[in-house]
Amino acid sequence: MCGIIGVVGAEDALDVLLDGLARLEYRGYDSAGVAIQCSDGTLWRSRAAEGTRSVAALVARCADAPKGTSAGIGHTRWATHGAPIERNAHPQVDCAGDVAVIHNGILENHAQLAERLRAAGHAYASGTDTEVLAHLVEEHRGLGLSLADAVAASLREVTGAFSVAVVDANTPGTIVAARRVSPLVVGRAQGVTYLASDIPAILDRTRDLLAVEDDQLAVLTADGVELRDLDGRPVEPTVLSVDWDVETAELGGHPDFMTKEVFEQPEAVRATLAGRRADDGRVVLDELRFGDDELAGFERAVLVACGSSFHAAAVGRHAIERWARLDCDVEIASEFRYRGAVLDPRTLVIGVTQSGETIDTLQALREAKRRGARTMAVCNVVGASLAREADAALYTRAGPEIGVASTKTVLATITVLELLALRLAQARGTLTPDEVTSTLDALGALPDRVAEVLKEAEHVQEVASGLHGARDFFFIGRHVGYPVALEGALKLKELSYLHAEGYPAGELKHGPIALIEPGTVVVAVVCDPDLREKVLSNIAEVKARGASVVVLHRADDDEAAALGDWAIAVPAADSMLTPTLAIVPLQLLAYHLARLRGLDVDRPRNLAKTVTVE
């Protein structure tokens, strides 16, 4: 989950590195560091470990750095092996301080390698697995190998998932990088070559981008990049297409990225819908790569995802089952690959992840392919690892999302999964053409309805003020309201660090109601007219036990609103479409409760944007 940045051929490498680290802070902010190649044949390194202030502290420490250096690497860390302290910050170096390494991921056999290297005389200065690589490269360099060959030889000894970048004082003007599972991209512009874990880090400098694939080695110089496998054979580059602009990855006058991205949600949904409806009213998903016969032949679908993507997938499951009449499961990706799921070519396994790089989802899809299933990626990044490896892909078009807590990508993901459900229904004949067209009409109205919800942001802030001081929150819902409740609870946990749980409302009496007492807050999602009466009964049950209740209701349901101590309305819509509306005020509620507690909503503690470590 760490961030990697590198540059060769720049007028001042340090400026590029520090700017890139600022853009990558959402990747991890336990510590940050840089190493640059100096003209006197040495490396200059600086690191800082001051939590969310690490990059700012690093900038201050770099005030006396050598000027005019053209090559270097930088890193922002989310700690796995070794505490988040300065000696564990990257870059890590070898015994002589000539080799510097930055790393994202986990080296699973680091302990065995470290034991061997210690026996050979290497001394360790950190508690990280990363430092092992620096000493391994040093060992192979001592045998006379070039830097590229030494890195390749080292990686052949390593197990795990990772992306790495290496510089050597004795190989000026060169960065050697590689990946296995964890993402890595290379960019090129006007005699400068860039390296990054994430596109936004270099988006303002180049759109000429290549993906480094698994077990590929990239040798970066000012003249360009050479790609080879770990045995030295040249490989063809994977070209990436990026339609983002740099402004979408910047604040643009907003106080934080979360505010910006929450208010971008109408446009994110609109962009996801754009161009996906034919003149005759049919659904068109050009990038899908599955024809009608194949879509109609699937007997089962399985959605695999983590976190907020799992909640979006849970909504998608309801749409696929209701509209396409296709048996559909939704699974936590980190559990799916170990469960021994029964799969075959008539099973469609759909990996859902905003980044397309989430390691659990990527590995789950790989396992599905090994077991003979057909696979599909749903993600927000064109050409992401998941999309490249899957049999088909659907993109959400939400634009870059910088805030760690997902917002606009959740709504865009729900939207694209509902489009997929309609496309399946169209192929399977489970909805008439008129039904497909009318549902597309309703989907097309959602961007304006999301904008209506956002007009009530001040009211949600007032509700949050009334709840300030509460410590325990329970979110309840039924049917599609249940994943909404899960997402509301997750956002509150992520941003405010308050205790929050999401439950199917019918499960309250099976245990959780024992925790309801005066001072507890229950947020009830009452947006499905078919199950409305049941949720109203659940509200009565918790009120009888002293809970304070926030009712999230349809604007035409005054009775439900009257049952709450606080009420938040969303526009009336078909039950399958209400999650896109109902999630928005819960995002705002979590945001304002976090701000009332003086917390940084863009950089919640212990979290990073993309989980690339199992």
Side-chain angles (χ1 to χ4, degrees), residues 108-409:
E108 294 173 350
N109 60 337
H110 68 97
Q112 301 94 309
L113 292 170
E115 184 177 356
R116 187 192 89 198
L117 290 163
R118 283 192 183 95
H122 292 265
Y124 282 76
S126 78
T128 69
D129 55 340
T130 305
E131 191 181 352
V132 169
L133 267 180
H135 293 291
L136 268 178
V137 173
E138 179 186 22
E139 188 88 347
H140 288 294
R141 290 284 277 146
L143 298 174
L145 296 183
S146 68
L147 177 60
D149 289 341
V151 173
S154 299
L155 294 181
R156 285 196 292 269
E157 297 187 57
V158 167
T159 60
F162 53 80
S163 53
V164 301
V166 185
V167 292
D168 182 347
N170 300 305
T171 311
T174 303
I175 298 173
V176 178
R179 68 160 271 185
R180 185 179 299 158
V181 181
S182 295
L184 205 58
V185 298
V186 174
R188 178 85 181 135
Q190 298 175 338
V192 184
T193 309
Y194 302 96
L195 178 75
S197 53
D198 280 35
I199 291 170
I202 54 177
L203 186 59
D204 63 330
R205 300 181 185 277
T206 179
R207 289 173 178 272
D208 182 5
L209 298 170
L210 306 175
V212 181
E213 302 285 9
D214 277 4
D215 286 320
Q216 288 184 355
L217 199 76
V219 181
L220 283 70
T221 66
D223 295 327
V225 58
E226 174 195 337
L227 289 173
R228 61 177 81 164
D229 64 21
L230 295 185
D231 293 322
R233 292 183 292 265
V235 295
E236 287 297 316
T238 301
V239 178
L240 296 178
S241 173
V242 181
D243 57 3
W244 298 344
D245 55 61
V246 68
E247 288 77 14
T248 59
E250 295 180 342
L251 279 171
H254 293 275
D256 44 64
F257 278 109
M258 184 172 178
T259 298
K260 175 179 182 285
E261 289 158 3
V262 163
F263 280 86
E264 286 176 343
Q265 290 182 119
E267 186 52 41
V269 174
R270 185 174 288 110
T272 299
L273 291 167
R276 284 168 163 166
R277 176 175 180 163
D279 292 341
D280 61 2
R282 293 180 304 109
V283 182
V284 178
L285 301 175
D286 289 334
E287 73 267 45
L288 190 56
R289 300 200 297 270
F290 286 150
D292 281 356
D293 289 345
E294 192 161 15
L295 291 173
F298 289 123
E299 296 177 351
R300 178 174 169 238
V302 182
L303 293 150
V304 293
C306 306
S308 291
S309 292
F310 175 80
H311 303 153
V315 176
R317 173 194 187 179
H318 284 286
I320 289 170
E321 290 188 334
R322 176 175 289 190
W323 294 337
R325 308 306 302 157
L326 179 64
D327 180 35
C328 186
D329 297 317
V330 59
E331 302 260 7
I332 295 290
S334 58
E335 292 294 320
F336 174 77
R337 63 185 290 224
Y338 303 109
R339 196 172 56 75
V342 179
L343 304 172
D344 60 37
R346 291 186 175 272
T347 304
L348 175 62
V349 178
I350 305 166
V352 184
T353 156
Q354 69 86 22
S355 66
E357 305 291 350
T358 301
I359 189 169
D360 294 313
T361 307
L362 183 58
Q363 297 287 44
L365 218 69
R366 287 174 172 173
E367 182 65 19
K369 290 191 78 168
R370 281 194 290 270
R371 297 189 186 190
R374 299 287 277 162
T375 59
M376 180 187 299
V378 171
C379 66
N380 190 45
V381 181
V382 175
S385 296
L386 195 78
R388 296 199 305 274
E389 294 195 21
D391 297 316
L394 281 177
Y395 296 109
T396 56
R397 305 175 181 169
E401 185 177 70
I402 306 301
V404 168
S406 295
T407 52
K408 65 177 180 176
T409 55

Side-chain angles (χ1 to χ4, degrees), residues 54 98-99 143 152 187 206 216 249 288 398 420 474 488 539-540 543 555 590:
S54 293
D98 288 338
V99 174
L143 298 174
T206 179
Q216 288 184 355
L288 190 56
L420 173 62
F474 291 83
I539 293 172
K543 285 181 70 73

